[in-house]
């Protein structure tokens, strides 16, 4: 009985030592990596969020109802306390202009906010703010107030206005959710930026 017990104990010890040895290396004598994150490949599934782009970088998006291709390029951001005859309820308007172009073969439009799509501002601390909140909804600029479906090959200038606190307006991320519920985002500078700053300020003052 003692011989069988000793043999069993020896076998268990050898198995344990073998398992420990296998966990110390990758099978070729090199130490196995520990705590190394594995990069995930974008799946293209609904709700996917792209890596943040710079202001002025176009994004290929899906139109309202999952139909058509809409190239969207946010190109200018202006921060003001007053504009279009309105005063920001929370302290600062962030006015963003963008160029929407239909690049497919059918007319296309942005999804309406009621469908879960559209524009949001993520402040530096992560708080999400919807476009048109506060008194932002009443800020209108003629050149950037287009909202009709865009015909193939054509484009429109549009704008989104956010009513932000001074802290929320210190840069952030502009987020657009398209017709397939895919989120596209742009890193926003904390100061007036873009080629249309002067034009936007002129229209806000009129």
């Amino acid at each position: 009985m003692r011989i069988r017990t000793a043999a069993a104990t020896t076998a268990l010890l050898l198995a344990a030592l073998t398992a420990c040895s296998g966990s110390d290396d990758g099978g070729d004598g090199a130490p196995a990596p520990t705590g190394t994150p594995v990069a995930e490949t974008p799946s293209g599934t609904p709700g996917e969020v792209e890596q943040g782009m710079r202001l002025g970088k176009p994004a290929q998006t899906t139109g309202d109802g999952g139909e058509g291709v809409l190239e969207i390029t946010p190109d200018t951001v202006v921060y003001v306390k007053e504009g279009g005859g309105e005063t920001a309820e929370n302290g600062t308007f962030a006015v963003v202009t963008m160029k929407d172009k239909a690049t497919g073969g059918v007319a296309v439009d942005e999804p309406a906010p009621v469908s879960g799509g559209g524009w949001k501002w993520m402040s530096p601390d992560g708080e999400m703010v919807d476009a048109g909140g506060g008194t932002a909804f009443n800020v209108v600029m003629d050149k950037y107030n287009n909202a009709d479906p865009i015909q193939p090959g054509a484009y429109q200038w549009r704008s989104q206005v956010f009513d932000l606190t001074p802290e929320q307006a210190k840069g952030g991320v502009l987020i657009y959710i398209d017709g397939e519920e895919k989120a596209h985002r742009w890193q926003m500078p904390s100061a007036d930026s873009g080629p249309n700053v002067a034009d936007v300020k002129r229209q806000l003052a009129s």
Side-chain angles (χ1 to χ4, degrees):
M1 178 66 73
R2 286 196 298 272
I3 293 174
R4 290 179 179 177
T5 302
T9 302
T10 301
L12 288 172
L13 287 172
L14 287 172
L17 287 172
T18 301
C20 290
S21 175
S23 65
D24 287 340
D25 58 64
D28 57 0
T34 58
T36 303
V38 178
E40 296 183 357
T41 302
S43 61
T45 56
E48 177 188 349
V49 178
E50 289 188 347
Q51 182 178 2
M53 298 177 285
R54 291 184 178 274
L55 189 68
K57 178 75 173 180
Q60 300 298 317
T61 76
T62 302
D64 188 24
E67 299 292 331
V69 180
L70 189 62
E71 181 183 88
I72 298 182
T73 310
D75 72 337
T76 297
V77 60
V78 171
Y79 299 95
V80 292
K81 294 181 179 180
E82 299 179 353
E86 298 290 333
T87 300
E89 182 178 303
N90 296 313
T92 304
F93 287 133
V95 182
V96 184
T97 63
M98 61 278 301
K99 182 180 181 180
D100 284 13
K101 182 177 181 179
T103 59
V106 297
V108 64
D109 201 359
E110 296 180 5
V114 69
S115 68
W119 298 89
K120 299 180 183 296
W121 181 282
M122 186 171 73
S123 62
D125 68 355
E127 184 173 1
M128 302 291 286
V129 180
D130 291 332
T135 54
F137 183 78
N138 297 319
V139 178
V140 177
M141 299 178 293
D142 290 340
K143 177 180 176 179
Y144 303 97
N145 196 39
N146 298 293
D148 297 326
I150 304 170
Q151 298 301 313
Y155 70 88
Q156 291 179 357
W157 288 106
R158 298 187 176 189
S159 65
Q160 297 293 330
V161 184
F162 301 86
D163 193 333
L164 308 175
T165 67
E167 288 299 315
Q168 292 169 337
K170 292 181 178 179
V173 178
L174 180 70
I175 298 175
Y176 172 72
I177 301 174
D178 70 11
E180 288 186 336
E181 299 182 8
K182 181 178 180 180
H184 307 264
R185 60 183 183 177
W186 293 263
Q187 298 292 331
M188 302 303 288
S190 58
D192 297 350
S193 300
N196 295 318
V197 168
D199 186 36
V200 170
K201 287 187 173 181
R202 182 167 53 253
Q203 294 205 35
L204 288 171
S206 62

